[in-house]
């Protein structure tokens, strides 16, 4: 799992260079990811996703970089536990997804508040590559799929900051 975090952070660092400029001025005062492992009935799935809260928080904080502070936007993410168990049980196949409710509240500027659902599939995270004949499903390890989902989800959250 430690190697996974290094891969996650390395991927997040390179992805941070590609963020849209419109999110550049938004300060972030905190990130809180909630994922109820006890709600995931499969012990194997719960073990696999056990670091999700910390990994996703770290990926988002890394992407906002020097824009963290004591005041600003507070990002709260509630991950859909049911989708996580299903993704694991499908062996991280093309229909695997990371889903969550996002709540962004700014301390003083209401125009920066937002509330939305975000769903990232492995297709969107880059596991499915279009070809002339249709699509080519890349064979990846569960760990690589996990990293792709976390990175794409963090990108989605940060790109929507106002």
């Amino acid at each position: 799992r430690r190697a996974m975090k290094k891969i996650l952070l390395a991927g997040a660092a390179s992805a941070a260079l590609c963020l849209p400029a419109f999110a550049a001025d938004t300060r972030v005062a905190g990130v809180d990811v909630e994922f109820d492992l006890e709600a995931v009935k499969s012990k194997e799935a719960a073990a696999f996703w056990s670091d999700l809260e910390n990994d996703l928080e770290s990926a988002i904080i890394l992407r906002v970089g020097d824009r963290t502070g004591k005041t600003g936007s507070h990002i709260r993410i509630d991950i859909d536990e049911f989708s996580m168990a299903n993704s694991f049980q499908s062996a991280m196949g093309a229909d695997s997804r990371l889903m969550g409710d996002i709540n962004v509240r700014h301390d003083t500027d209401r125009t920066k508040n937002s509330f939305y659902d975000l769903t990232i599939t492995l297709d969107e995270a880059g596991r499915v590559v279009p070809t002339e004949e249709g699509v080519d499903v890349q064979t990846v390890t569960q760990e690589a799929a996990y990293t792709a989902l976390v990175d794409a989800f963090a990108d989605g959250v940060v790109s929507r900051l106002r």
Side-chain angles (χ1 to χ4, degrees):
R1 261 319 207 215
R2 293 207 188 278
M4 192 69 216
K5 286 186 180 182
K6 288 180 184 176
I7 292 169
L8 176 67
L9 293 177
S14 63
L17 299 174
C18 304
L19 293 177
F22 65 85
D25 68 339
T26 302
R27 286 233 166 282
V28 175
V31 179
D32 181 35
V33 177
E34 295 179 12
F35 178 55
D36 184 6
L37 276 176
E38 291 181 16
V40 178
K41 300 301 180 193
S42 163
K43 288 182 183 180
E44 294 85 8
F48 182 78
W49 296 110
S50 65
D51 292 330
L52 180 61
E53 287 179 345
N54 291 330
D55 289 345
L56 189 52
E57 287 172 3
S58 296
I60 292 169
I61 290 169
L62 188 61
R63 282 163 171 73
V64 296
D66 63 350
R67 294 179 287 135
T68 58
K70 291 183 181 181
T71 61
S73 292
H74 298 268
I75 302 168
R76 184 181 168 279
I77 301 169
D78 184 13
I79 297 296
D80 177 359
E81 293 82 7
F82 180 73
S83 70
M84 304 315 296
N86 286 345
S87 289
F88 182 82
Q89 289 167 355
S90 68
M92 295 302 283
D95 63 340
S96 295
R97 62 192 68 240
L98 179 54
M99 299 171 57
D101 297 323
I102 317 300
N103 178 340
V104 180
R105 291 193 182 261
H106 194 275
D107 289 327
T108 58
D109 186 351
R110 290 179 154 198
T111 66
K112 295 186 182 286
N113 292 351
S114 59
F115 311 93
Y116 56 93
D117 296 326
L118 180 61
T119 300
I120 299 293
T121 65
L122 273 182
D123 294 356
E124 295 165 322
R127 184 172 182 269
V128 175
V129 179
T131 66
E132 290 180 12
E133 296 81 32
V135 294
D136 178 29
V137 178
Q138 305 284 308
T139 303
V140 295
T141 64
Q142 284 186 329
E143 288 77 16
Y146 172 90
T147 300
L149 285 170
V150 170
D151 284 347
F153 199 92
D155 288 344
V157 171
V158 173
S159 70
R160 287 170 177 82
L161 292 174
R162 298 180 183 166

